[in-house]
Amino acid sequence: MKPVEIHTPLDQQTIKNLESGTMVALSGTIYTARDRAHQEFQKLLEAGKPLPFDPSGQVLYYAGPSPTPRGKVIGAVGPTTSYRMDPFTGLMLEAGIRGFIGKGKRSQQVREQLVQWGGVYFATFGGAAAFLHTRVVSSRLIAFPHLGPEAVYMLEVADFPIIVVNDIYNGDLYESAISG
Amino acid sequence: MADSRIINTTLIRDAIVQLIHEASFQLHPETRTTFIQMRDTEESGIARQTLDTLILNDDIAKAEQVPLCQDCGSVVVFLEIGQQVIIEGEQLNDAIHDAVAHAYEKYYLRKSIVADPLQRVNTGTNTPSFIHIDMVQGDKLGITVYLKGGGSENMSSLHMFRPTASEDEIIDYIVQTVRDAGPNPCPPLFLGVGIGGTADVAMLNAKKAVLRKPGSFHPVDYYRKLEEKILHAVNDTGVGPLGFGGRNTAAAVYIKEAATHIATLPVALNLNCHSLRYRGTIL
């Protein structure tokens, strides 16, 4: 199955065409953020301050890369488990984020929020972090350097392989898998 | 009395650095073979593609010296120390922590350990490691280094059954746990099952269980058959590789049993991800 090619930032038409189970090749800019970065985002937004980047239509990647070896663009960079970011997802959607990449199931509340705001949750290949590093063209630390691997990196990716798990039509790939 | 044998901690340190390197950048050949066999039994395109991606990941990790997973794990160290061994040099725990800190810096591995569970400041060295020591006969020192990711560790489970519980009740609990965990622990799993002991012993045995020689069978026929039954039941869930659906939810089930109290029947589960990362050596 040939993947659907999309670019960031995501527009409404692109999101409407994405259905649970669709294979996607993503290109453009994405931002890493995991547990601690989400806490920092929340603090900024609650204080009425902007995020460290323009979130409109952007995509967050739940990931904390391994250190970049000399001469490389980035280290291993696979997804972390997404449910830990569930409590923050409504806030991120409200701020303008429209795509999330991780691995694993989301809460019922997140699924409803995705429908409400018109956002998409994608999975990529958990534990295939060496492979995924080959799809990253450049990386730059843009916020919270004191968080080490939990800092926010701006990544430029090319044909980054992702799969739609939760679409705006309340579809869920993982549920379909176990319901046969 | 048998002769004693002196082992300096510098040898232990060097061995651990080497074992961390081997475990981080390459699958066991047997694990890779298992991936290929699983791919050949999958019918759905997405399941086959997932397993092909994991095989490719192993190639790239080895060739480019990028870790298999960005979560380079907690370092769990199992030592089997012969009673005739005398350890000289540094304090043993310090030597092990030094080895871990050195390896994680040298090989660009992610440091994922915070010093305190509530205040959560990263130690920046991936230490402390978690050390378990067993005393055994002889003059050798066995070291196994096991790297455990946080995502799969979070799916761990313990249930204290009534001692009269049936085998089917235990299998149902295991199936339900794997099904509920779904994609989160990165299946196909290497499922460690600790049965018996006290609660803590069962949890530890669930970890030790997956360190059995890859592809080997349980030495006791009864448990070998139970492992097969569990594997079959877990694979009937349809969770499949990375939860995208398919026949292979677990690659293997490994049981480690222990004596227990007349009132108890603990069952502990270690849902190890597809990339079972450990290496061992004997000094």
Side-chain angles (χ1 to χ4, degrees), chain B residues 234-249:
Chain B
V234 161
N235 282 340
D236 278 345
T237 58
V239 169
L242 295 181
F244 300 141
R247 291 173 179 275
N248 294 286
T249 303

Side-chain angles (χ1 to χ4, degrees), chain B residues 141-155:
Chain B
L141 191 152
I143 306 173
T144 303
V145 168
Y146 175 34
L147 310 180
K148 187 71 195 294
S152 68
E153 185 69 5
N154 278 341
M155 296 298 114

Side-chain angles (χ1 to χ4, degrees), chain B residues 91-133:
Chain B
Q91 209 279 328
L92 180 60
N93 285 7
D94 290 346
I96 295 169
H97 297 324
D98 279 358
V100 171
H102 179 71
Y104 274 66
E105 193 58 34
K106 180 175 180 186
Y107 300 119
Y108 296 93
L109 301 174
R110 198 182 79 185
K111 291 87 178 169
S112 309
I113 303 297
V114 294
D116 180 280
L118 297 181
Q119 297 174 71
R120 307 200 73 85
V121 177
N122 196 309
T123 62
T125 57
N126 214 55
T127 65
S129 49
F130 304 100
I131 304 167
H132 302 283
I133 297 177

Side-chain angles (χ1 to χ4, degrees), chain A residues 4 6 9-18 118 120 168-169:
Chain A
V4 176
I6 65 172
L10 305 180
D11 59 41
Q12 278 212 311
Q13 193 50 49
T14 302
I15 290 168
K16 279 184 185 163
N17 290 339
L18 296 173
V120 183
I168 57 169
Y169 310 106

Side-chain angles (χ1 to χ4, degrees), chain B residues 145-172:
Chain B
V145 168
Y146 175 34
L147 310 180
K148 187 71 195 294
S152 68
E153 185 69 5
N154 278 341
M155 296 298 114
S156 303
S157 180
L158 171 73
H159 189 80
M160 305 301 284
F161 282 89
R162 281 175 290 104
T164 52
S166 69
E167 212 180 89
D168 283 346
E169 284 175 72
I170 293 171
I171 294 173
D172 285 349

